[in-house]
Amino acid sequence: MPLNRTTVTHFLIEAMREKHGHGNLTLLLNDVITACKVISDQVNHGALVGALGSAGSENVQGETQKKLDILSNEIFLRFNEVGGHLAGMASEEMDDPYALPEGAPRGKYLLLFDPLDGSSNIDVNVSVGTIFSVLKCPEGVTHPEVKDFLQPGTTQVCAGYALYGPSSMLVLTTGDGVNGFTLDQNIGEFILTHPGMTIPEDTREFAINASNSRFWEAPVQRYVEECLAGTDGPRKENFNMRWIASMVAEVHRILVRGGIFMYPMDERMRSKGGKLRLMYEANPMAFIIEQAGGACSTGRERIMTLQPTGLHQRVPVILGSKNEVERVVSYHKE
Ligand code: P6P
C-alpha cells in the first residue's frame, strides 16, 4: 500500500478529533467496518462456501430469507455486541430490537442495519450491500425498547453502506460530507479513494422498476412519461434508465455520477406505506445523499424529518440529484 494512502480508521480518528464526545463512535464504527469486511468475504466466496440459496424461512417483512441474509445478520450482531459502545441494535432481519447479552458492556449508541440489502441478487451474482445507521440512545436508557429507536433521520450521528460489487466499497457520513473507501483485499483495509463525494444537481438518468408503472401515483407517472418522451417531450432531453434492484448499488451510482432513484408509493403497497424501510434503508441513505448535496423525499415530505411510528415502517423514496427530486416533488404539489 503506498505510504500516502489513508485507511478508514485513520480517517475517522482525524475526523472525530475535533468532535467532542465522539471517541466511542470511532471505535463503534471500527466494529461495524470489521463486520462489513467479513460479509464481503462471505459474499465474494458465495457458492464456494455454500452461502447461496434460500434459508427456507421468512423475515418480519414476510420476505424469503437467503442464507446470506441470516449469516450477515449474525455477523453484525457478533462483531458489534461486545465492543461496549452500543445500548442496542435493530435489524431488518429481526422483529424486535436485539437485547445485548446480560453482562455485556453497554454504550450510548443505537445501531440499526439492513445486513444484506438486495439479497435477491445474490444467487445471480449482482452487487448487494449493507446499510447502517447510528443514533444516540436516549439518556439513561440501558435496555432500549422500540420507542427509543424511533428518532427522525435528522438525529442520526452516522450513516453508511458497504457495497459488495466488482470492488468492495464503504461510504460514510458523520455529518461533515461523504467519503468513499475501497477494500484493499491484500491487507484487509478500506482505503480512502473517494474523498468528498458530491452529487451533480442535474441528471438525465432515472432508476425505477418500470414494471410497476400502472400502480404509481399520477405525479410519478407524469415524471417518468416525460423522461421517456425525450427530445420529443416537454423535457426536450433524452434520458437513460437503470434498475439494478439493489438500492445500495443505485445510490452509489448516483453518488458517483448523479441520477434519481425512485421506489414511489404503489397502490398495492399503500396499506403498508411503501416498499423500502425508513429506519435502516431510507434514513441512512437520505443522510448520505443530503450530505453529498442531493435530496431525499417521499414525494410529499423530506424523508429525514419524518417522525417514525414503527421499527419496520415503510415509506416511498425519491432520492438523488437535487433538481430532479424537486421536480418530482413539485408534480406532487400540483
Ligand atoms: P424490486 C431490495 O430487496 C430492495 O429492498 C432494494 O434494495 C431495491 O431497490 C428494491 O428492493 C428492489 O425492489 O421490486 O424491483 O425487486
Side-chain angles (χ1 to χ4, degrees):
M1 177 181 91
L3 294 183
N4 63 344
R5 287 300 180 98
T6 303
T7 66
V8 65
T9 306
H10 287 149
F11 179 87
L12 285 170
I13 289 167
E14 276 307 306
M16 291 300 152
R17 205 184 294 280
E18 281 68 49
K19 285 194 166 198
H20 302 297
H22 278 66
N24 287 344
L25 182 59
T26 303
L27 295 173
L28 163 58
L29 290 176
N30 212 44
D31 291 344
V32 169
I33 291 162
T34 303
C36 291
K37 290 179 193 174
V38 174
I39 295 171
S40 170
D41 180 57
Q42 287 299 312
V43 167
N44 290 344
H45 284 87
L48 294 173
V49 294
L52 300 188
S54 167
S57 53
E58 282 190 349
N59 64 15
V60 63
Q61 328 288 341
E63 294 162 341
T64 302
Q65 288 177 304
K66 300 286 188 184
K67 288 178 192 164
L68 269 174
D69 281 320
I70 294 175
L71 179 59
S72 302
N73 192 60
E74 280 301 306
I75 290 167
F76 244 72
L77 296 179
R78 292 295 81 77
F79 279 86
N80 286 291
E81 67 182 352
V82 297
H85 316 301
L86 291 174
M89 292 187 252
S91 165
E92 178 191 66
E93 300 303 330
M94 300 185 297
D95 299 14
D96 302 313
Y98 178 74
L100 298 181
E102 273 317 311
R106 280 164 162 71
K108 61 182 181 180
Y109 294 109
L110 299 174
L111 178 65
L112 301 93
F113 52 91
D114 179 356
L116 201 67
D117 183 71
S119 55
S120 60
N121 285 322
I122 275 284
D123 296 348
V124 295
N125 201 27
V126 170
S127 298
V128 292
T130 296
I131 310 171
F132 58 89
S133 170
V134 181
L135 298 171
K136 280 269 185 69
C137 185
E139 205 58 43
V141 173
T142 55
H143 292 68
E145 299 167 18
V146 170
K147 63 181 171 52
D148 299 308
F149 287 84
L150 301 185
Q151 302 175 35
T154 47
T155 65
Q156 293 174 97
V157 293
C158 173
Y161 62 78
L163 174 60
Y164 313 116
S167 65
S168 283
M169 283 197 68
L170 179 77
V171 170
L172 277 177
T173 185
T174 55
D176 300 308
V178 178
N179 294 284
F181 305 81
T182 303
L183 183 61
D184 180 335
Q185 308 272 3
N186 296 327
I187 58 172
E189 282 289 351
F190 279 104
I191 305 299
L192 179 64
T193 50
H194 296 65
M197 300 180 86
T198 56
I199 302 176
E201 292 197 342
D202 293 300
T203 182
R204 294 295 173 263
E205 188 163 74
F206 70 98
I208 195 165
N209 182 337
S211 69
N212 299 328
S213 61
R214 64 189 184 283
F215 301 114
W216 300 333
E217 296 177 313
V220 172
Q221 287 180 333
R222 171 186 171 189
Y223 176 78
V224 172
E225 282 160 13
E226 290 180 354
C227 290
L228 295 175
T231 49
D232 301 335
R235 301 299 305 273
K236 302 200 181 314
E237 299 248 16
N238 291 325
F239 281 70
N240 193 26
M241 197 192 105
R242 287 283 183 275
W243 190 250
I244 307 174
S246 177
M247 185 185 195
V248 177
E250 314 274 10
V251 167
H252 191 72
R253 184 190 61 249
I254 289 170
L255 271 173
V256 170
R257 71 184 191 207
I260 181 170
F261 164 88
M262 296 169 279
Y263 213 112
M265 180 50 75
D266 173 322
E267 282 319 309
R268 299 165 301 177
M269 302 174 189
R270 189 170 293 283
S271 59
K272 285 188 194 173
K275 159 94 177 187
L276 301 177
R277 276 64 59 147
L278 173 61
M279 297 307 296
Y280 40 78
E281 288 176 335
N283 264 342
M285 290 311 203
F287 191 15
I288 293 166
I289 290 287
E290 289 196 5
Q291 281 291 310
C296 187
S297 171
T298 63
R300 294 181 171 83
E301 47 194 316
R302 183 186 172 205
I303 289 269
M304 290 242 282
T305 53
L306 294 176
Q307 174 51 51
T309 56
L311 199 54
H312 303 289
Q313 175 181 351
R314 296 168 184 259
V315 291
V317 176
I318 295 162
L319 62 78
S321 293
K322 195 183 178 104
N323 293 341
E324 288 303 301
V325 173
E326 288 177 354
R327 175 183 287 268
V328 177
V329 170
S330 70
Y331 290 0
H332 281 79
K333 289 178 179 153
E334 288 177 17

PDB file of all heavy atoms in Angstrom, residues 63 92 114 117-120 209 212 243 245-248 250 261 263 275-277 281, ligand 1:
ATOM      1  N   GLU A  63     -40.579 -11.644   3.706  1.00  0.00           N
ATOM      2  CA  GLU A  63     -39.737 -11.952   2.537  1.00  0.00           C
ATOM      3  C   GLU A  63     -38.896 -13.206   2.785  1.00  0.00           C
ATOM      4  O   GLU A  63     -38.422 -13.422   3.910  1.00  0.00           O
ATOM      5  CB  GLU A  63     -38.812 -10.757   2.261  1.00  0.00           C
ATOM      6  CG  GLU A  63     -39.561  -9.503   1.821  1.00  0.00           C
ATOM      7  CD  GLU A  63     -38.706  -8.237   1.982  1.00  0.00           C
ATOM      8  OE1 GLU A  63     -37.721  -8.281   2.746  1.00  0.00           O
ATOM      9  OE2 GLU A  63     -39.031  -7.226   1.344  1.00  0.00           O
ATOM     10  N   GLU A  92     -33.260  -5.371   9.916  1.00  0.00           N
ATOM     11  CA  GLU A  92     -34.359  -5.763   9.032  1.00  0.00           C
ATOM     12  C   GLU A  92     -34.727  -7.211   9.277  1.00  0.00           C
ATOM     13  O   GLU A  92     -35.871  -7.628   9.103  1.00  0.00           O
ATOM     14  CB  GLU A  92     -33.949  -5.584   7.565  1.00  0.00           C
ATOM     15  CG  GLU A  92     -35.051  -6.017   6.613  1.00  0.00           C
ATOM     16  CD  GLU A  92     -34.600  -6.104   5.159  1.00  0.00           C
ATOM     17  OE1 GLU A  92     -33.755  -6.967   4.857  1.00  0.00           O
ATOM     18  OE2 GLU A  92     -35.093  -5.319   4.357  1.00  0.00           O
ATOM     19  N   ASP A 114     -29.580  -2.940   7.758  1.00  0.00           N
ATOM     20  CA  ASP A 114     -30.067  -3.958   6.820  1.00  0.00           C
ATOM     21  C   ASP A 114     -28.807  -4.721   6.433  1.00  0.00           C
ATOM     22  O   ASP A 114     -28.015  -4.228   5.646  1.00  0.00           O
ATOM     23  CB  ASP A 114     -30.718  -3.272   5.606  1.00  0.00           C
ATOM     24  CG  ASP A 114     -31.220  -4.303   4.597  1.00  0.00           C
ATOM     25  OD1 ASP A 114     -30.993  -5.511   4.824  1.00  0.00           O
ATOM     26  OD2 ASP A 114     -31.813  -3.890   3.587  1.00  0.00           O
ATOM     27  N   ASP A 117     -28.701  -5.925   1.848  1.00  0.00           N
ATOM     28  CA  ASP A 117     -29.796  -5.367   1.045  1.00  0.00           C
ATOM     29  C   ASP A 117     -29.624  -5.788  -0.420  1.00  0.00           C
ATOM     30  O   ASP A 117     -28.511  -5.815  -0.934  1.00  0.00           O
ATOM     31  CB  ASP A 117     -29.764  -3.842   1.146  1.00  0.00           C
ATOM     32  CG  ASP A 117     -30.922  -3.235   0.384  1.00  0.00           C
ATOM     33  OD1 ASP A 117     -32.066  -3.381   0.854  1.00  0.00           O
ATOM     34  OD2 ASP A 117     -30.694  -2.668  -0.696  1.00  0.00           O
ATOM     35  N   GLY A 118     -30.748  -6.126  -1.034  1.00  0.00           N
ATOM     36  CA  GLY A 118     -30.698  -6.553  -2.444  1.00  0.00           C
ATOM     37  C   GLY A 118     -30.356  -8.023  -2.580  1.00  0.00           C
ATOM     38  O   GLY A 118     -29.913  -8.484  -3.631  1.00  0.00           O
ATOM     39  N   SER A 119     -30.594  -8.772  -1.488  1.00  0.00           N
ATOM     40  CA  SER A 119     -30.098 -10.164  -1.470  1.00  0.00           C
ATOM     41  C   SER A 119     -30.750 -11.052  -2.524  1.00  0.00           C
ATOM     42  O   SER A 119     -30.247 -12.129  -2.810  1.00  0.00           O
ATOM     43  CB  SER A 119     -30.294 -10.776  -0.081  1.00  0.00           C
ATOM     44  OG  SER A 119     -31.637 -10.678   0.305  1.00  0.00           O
ATOM     45  N   SER A 120     -31.843 -10.571  -3.137  1.00  0.00           N
ATOM     46  CA  SER A 120     -32.426 -11.382  -4.232  1.00  0.00           C
ATOM     47  C   SER A 120     -31.427 -11.459  -5.390  1.00  0.00           C
ATOM     48  O   SER A 120     -31.537 -12.285  -6.287  1.00  0.00           O
ATOM     49  CB  SER A 120     -33.750 -10.767  -4.710  1.00  0.00           C
ATOM     50  OG  SER A 120     -33.500  -9.445  -5.185  1.00  0.00           O
ATOM     51  N   ASN A 209     -38.434   0.746 -11.013  1.00  0.00           N
ATOM     52  CA  ASN A 209     -38.877  -0.550 -11.535  1.00  0.00           C
ATOM     53  C   ASN A 209     -40.119  -0.305 -12.389  1.00  0.00           C
ATOM     54  O   ASN A 209     -41.248  -0.268 -11.880  1.00  0.00           O
ATOM     55  CB  ASN A 209     -39.193  -1.521 -10.399  1.00  0.00           C
ATOM     56  CG  ASN A 209     -39.601  -2.909 -10.936  1.00  0.00           C
ATOM     57  OD1 ASN A 209     -40.040  -3.019 -12.078  1.00  0.00           O
ATOM     58  ND2 ASN A 209     -39.466  -3.923 -10.108  1.00  0.00           N
ATOM     59  N   ASN A 212     -43.872  -1.655 -12.491  1.00  0.00           N
ATOM     60  CA  ASN A 212     -44.920  -1.259 -11.541  1.00  0.00           C
ATOM     61  C   ASN A 212     -45.688  -0.016 -12.001  1.00  0.00           C
ATOM     62  O   ASN A 212     -46.540   0.492 -11.263  1.00  0.00           O
ATOM     63  CB  ASN A 212     -44.289  -0.957 -10.163  1.00  0.00           C
ATOM     64  CG  ASN A 212     -43.586  -2.170  -9.587  1.00  0.00           C
ATOM     65  OD1 ASN A 212     -43.992  -3.298  -9.828  1.00  0.00           O
ATOM     66  ND2 ASN A 212     -42.502  -1.940  -8.852  1.00  0.00           N
ATOM     67  N   TRP A 243     -32.067  -0.018 -13.606  1.00  0.00           N
ATOM     68  CA  TRP A 243     -32.703  -0.637 -12.454  1.00  0.00           C
ATOM     69  C   TRP A 243     -31.914  -1.879 -12.069  1.00  0.00           C
ATOM     70  O   TRP A 243     -31.897  -2.859 -12.798  1.00  0.00           O
ATOM     71  CB  TRP A 243     -34.183  -0.980 -12.690  1.00  0.00           C
ATOM     72  CG  TRP A 243     -34.859  -1.395 -11.414  1.00  0.00           C
ATOM     73  CD1 TRP A 243     -35.298  -2.647 -11.064  1.00  0.00           C
ATOM     74  CD2 TRP A 243     -35.124  -0.564 -10.282  1.00  0.00           C
ATOM     75  NE1 TRP A 243     -35.836  -2.630  -9.801  1.00  0.00           N
ATOM     76  CE2 TRP A 243     -35.733  -1.372  -9.284  1.00  0.00           C
ATOM     77  CE3 TRP A 243     -34.908   0.796  -9.994  1.00  0.00           C
ATOM     78  CZ2 TRP A 243     -36.127  -0.855  -8.045  1.00  0.00           C
ATOM     79  CZ3 TRP A 243     -35.292   1.303  -8.774  1.00  0.00           C
ATOM     80  CH2 TRP A 243     -35.903   0.474  -7.810  1.00  0.00           C
ATOM     81  N   ALA A 245     -32.127  -3.272  -8.889  1.00  0.00           N
ATOM     82  CA  ALA A 245     -32.858  -3.978  -7.821  1.00  0.00           C
ATOM     83  C   ALA A 245     -31.958  -4.191  -6.608  1.00  0.00           C
ATOM     84  O   ALA A 245     -32.103  -5.160  -5.859  1.00  0.00           O
ATOM     85  CB  ALA A 245     -33.437  -5.310  -8.285  1.00  0.00           C
ATOM     86  N   SER A 246     -31.037  -3.270  -6.416  1.00  0.00           N
ATOM     87  CA  SER A 246     -30.184  -3.255  -5.222  1.00  0.00           C
ATOM     88  C   SER A 246     -29.968  -1.784  -4.871  1.00  0.00           C
ATOM     89  O   SER A 246     -29.200  -1.078  -5.537  1.00  0.00           O
ATOM     90  CB  SER A 246     -28.846  -3.945  -5.515  1.00  0.00           C
ATOM     91  OG  SER A 246     -28.014  -3.872  -4.395  1.00  0.00           O
ATOM     92  N   MET A 247     -30.685  -1.322  -3.822  1.00  0.00           N
ATOM     93  CA  MET A 247     -30.689   0.115  -3.510  1.00  0.00           C
ATOM     94  C   MET A 247     -29.279   0.656  -3.296  1.00  0.00           C
ATOM     95  O   MET A 247     -28.958   1.768  -3.726  1.00  0.00           O
ATOM     96  CB  MET A 247     -31.538   0.367  -2.258  1.00  0.00           C
ATOM     97  CG  MET A 247     -31.698   1.825  -1.912  1.00  0.00           C
ATOM     98  SD  MET A 247     -32.571   2.006  -0.345  1.00  0.00           S
ATOM     99  CE  MET A 247     -33.001   3.768  -0.424  1.00  0.00           C
ATOM    100  N   VAL A 248     -28.414  -0.162  -2.652  1.00  0.00           N
ATOM    101  CA  VAL A 248     -27.054   0.311  -2.365  1.00  0.00           C
ATOM    102  C   VAL A 248     -26.316   0.615  -3.671  1.00  0.00           C
ATOM    103  O   VAL A 248     -25.659   1.652  -3.806  1.00  0.00           O
ATOM    104  CB  VAL A 248     -26.278  -0.726  -1.529  1.00  0.00           C
ATOM    105  CG1 VAL A 248     -24.841  -0.279  -1.299  1.00  0.00           C
ATOM    106  CG2 VAL A 248     -26.962  -0.957  -0.193  1.00  0.00           C
ATOM    107  N   GLU A 250     -27.694   1.366  -6.571  1.00  0.00           N
ATOM    108  CA  GLU A 250     -28.304   2.540  -7.236  1.00  0.00           C
ATOM    109  C   GLU A 250     -27.803   3.833  -6.595  1.00  0.00           C
ATOM    110  O   GLU A 250     -27.421   4.787  -7.264  1.00  0.00           O
ATOM    111  CB  GLU A 250     -29.836   2.496  -7.111  1.00  0.00           C
ATOM    112  CG  GLU A 250     -30.513   1.182  -7.399  1.00  0.00           C
ATOM    113  CD  GLU A 250     -30.839   0.901  -8.864  1.00  0.00           C
ATOM    114  OE1 GLU A 250     -30.385   1.651  -9.748  1.00  0.00           O
ATOM    115  OE2 GLU A 250     -31.546  -0.082  -9.101  1.00  0.00           O
ATOM    116  N   PHE A 261     -33.324   8.071  -8.090  1.00  0.00           N
ATOM    117  CA  PHE A 261     -33.806   6.717  -7.768  1.00  0.00           C
ATOM    118  C   PHE A 261     -35.191   6.862  -7.164  1.00  0.00           C
ATOM    119  O   PHE A 261     -35.400   7.698  -6.271  1.00  0.00           O
ATOM    120  CB  PHE A 261     -32.847   6.053  -6.782  1.00  0.00           C
ATOM    121  CG  PHE A 261     -33.398   4.827  -6.086  1.00  0.00           C
ATOM    122  CD1 PHE A 261     -33.274   3.574  -6.652  1.00  0.00           C
ATOM    123  CD2 PHE A 261     -34.051   4.943  -4.857  1.00  0.00           C
ATOM    124  CE1 PHE A 261     -33.773   2.442  -6.013  1.00  0.00           C
ATOM    125  CE2 PHE A 261     -34.554   3.817  -4.211  1.00  0.00           C
ATOM    126  CZ  PHE A 261     -34.415   2.566  -4.789  1.00  0.00           C
ATOM    127  N   TYR A 263     -38.489   4.580  -5.531  1.00  0.00           N
ATOM    128  CA  TYR A 263     -39.375   3.473  -5.227  1.00  0.00           C
ATOM    129  C   TYR A 263     -40.624   4.122  -4.644  1.00  0.00           C
ATOM    130  O   TYR A 263     -40.764   4.243  -3.421  1.00  0.00           O
ATOM    131  CB  TYR A 263     -38.792   2.413  -4.302  1.00  0.00           C
ATOM    132  CG  TYR A 263     -39.355   1.052  -4.685  1.00  0.00           C
ATOM    133  CD1 TYR A 263     -38.567   0.068  -5.234  1.00  0.00           C
ATOM    134  CD2 TYR A 263     -40.735   0.796  -4.592  1.00  0.00           C
ATOM    135  CE1 TYR A 263     -39.102  -1.146  -5.652  1.00  0.00           C
ATOM    136  CE2 TYR A 263     -41.276  -0.388  -5.007  1.00  0.00           C
ATOM    137  CZ  TYR A 263     -40.459  -1.368  -5.547  1.00  0.00           C
ATOM    138  OH  TYR A 263     -41.001  -2.555  -5.983  1.00  0.00           O
ATOM    139  N   LYS A 275     -42.468   0.393  -0.105  1.00  0.00           N
ATOM    140  CA  LYS A 275     -41.637  -0.820  -0.197  1.00  0.00           C
ATOM    141  C   LYS A 275     -40.428  -0.742   0.731  1.00  0.00           C
ATOM    142  O   LYS A 275     -40.138  -1.671   1.456  1.00  0.00           O
ATOM    143  CB  LYS A 275     -41.156  -0.985  -1.640  1.00  0.00           C
ATOM    144  CG  LYS A 275     -39.919  -1.867  -1.816  1.00  0.00           C
ATOM    145  CD  LYS A 275     -40.249  -3.294  -2.126  1.00  0.00           C
ATOM    146  CE  LYS A 275     -38.976  -4.102  -2.366  1.00  0.00           C
ATOM    147  NZ  LYS A 275     -39.233  -5.457  -2.831  1.00  0.00           N
ATOM    148  N   LEU A 276     -39.721   0.408   0.693  1.00  0.00           N
ATOM    149  CA  LEU A 276     -38.446   0.499   1.404  1.00  0.00           C
ATOM    150  C   LEU A 276     -38.655   0.902   2.853  1.00  0.00           C
ATOM    151  O   LEU A 276     -39.605   1.620   3.189  1.00  0.00           O
ATOM    152  CB  LEU A 276     -37.519   1.491   0.688  1.00  0.00           C
ATOM    153  CG  LEU A 276     -37.221   1.129  -0.776  1.00  0.00           C
ATOM    154  CD1 LEU A 276     -36.356   2.186  -1.439  1.00  0.00           C
ATOM    155  CD2 LEU A 276     -36.579  -0.249  -0.882  1.00  0.00           C
ATOM    156  N   ARG A 277     -37.742   0.450   3.717  1.00  0.00           N
ATOM    157  CA  ARG A 277     -37.887   0.681   5.153  1.00  0.00           C
ATOM    158  C   ARG A 277     -37.232   1.990   5.557  1.00  0.00           C
ATOM    159  O   ARG A 277     -36.128   2.322   5.125  1.00  0.00           O
ATOM    160  CB  ARG A 277     -37.228  -0.479   5.922  1.00  0.00           C
ATOM    161  CG  ARG A 277     -38.108  -1.715   6.120  1.00  0.00           C
ATOM    162  CD  ARG A 277     -38.530  -2.449   4.864  1.00  0.00           C
ATOM    163  NE  ARG A 277     -37.427  -2.922   4.061  1.00  0.00           N
ATOM    164  CZ  ARG A 277     -37.493  -4.060   3.341  1.00  0.00           C
ATOM    165  NH1 ARG A 277     -38.571  -4.790   3.373  1.00  0.00           N
ATOM    166  NH2 ARG A 277     -36.470  -4.420   2.597  1.00  0.00           N
ATOM    167  N   GLU A 281     -33.056   1.826   5.789  1.00  0.00           N
ATOM    168  CA  GLU A 281     -32.769   1.993   4.357  1.00  0.00           C
ATOM    169  C   GLU A 281     -32.912   3.473   3.988  1.00  0.00           C
ATOM    170  O   GLU A 281     -31.948   4.138   3.655  1.00  0.00           O
ATOM    171  CB  GLU A 281     -33.724   1.134   3.506  1.00  0.00           C
ATOM    172  CG  GLU A 281     -33.430  -0.354   3.593  1.00  0.00           C
ATOM    173  CD  GLU A 281     -34.431  -1.234   2.839  1.00  0.00           C
ATOM    174  OE1 GLU A 281     -35.586  -0.807   2.629  1.00  0.00           O
ATOM    175  OE2 GLU A 281     -34.055  -2.369   2.476  1.00  0.00           O
TER     176      GLU A 281
HETATM  177  P1  P6P B   1     -37.985  -4.798  -6.727  1.00  0.00           P
HETATM  178  C1  P6P B   1     -34.043  -4.997  -2.351  1.00  0.00           C
HETATM  179  O1  P6P B   1     -34.923  -6.037  -1.952  1.00  0.00           O
HETATM  180  C2  P6P B   1     -34.783  -3.693  -2.180  1.00  0.00           C
HETATM  181  O2  P6P B   1     -35.171  -3.536  -0.848  1.00  0.00           O
HETATM  182  C3  P6P B   1     -33.908  -2.530  -2.643  1.00  0.00           C
HETATM  183  O3  P6P B   1     -32.562  -2.746  -2.417  1.00  0.00           O
HETATM  184  C4  P6P B   1     -34.217  -2.455  -4.134  1.00  0.00           C
HETATM  185  O4  P6P B   1     -34.074  -1.152  -4.652  1.00  0.00           O
HETATM  186  C5  P6P B   1     -35.683  -2.899  -4.205  1.00  0.00           C
HETATM  187  O5  P6P B   1     -35.930  -3.689  -3.039  1.00  0.00           O
HETATM  188  C6  P6P B   1     -35.943  -3.741  -5.431  1.00  0.00           C
HETATM  189  O6  P6P B   1     -37.341  -3.972  -5.485  1.00  0.00           O
HETATM  190  O7  P6P B   1     -39.482  -4.646  -6.517  1.00  0.00           O
HETATM  191  O8  P6P B   1     -37.506  -4.148  -8.005  1.00  0.00           O
HETATM  192  O9  P6P B   1     -37.488  -6.216  -6.583  1.00  0.00           O
END
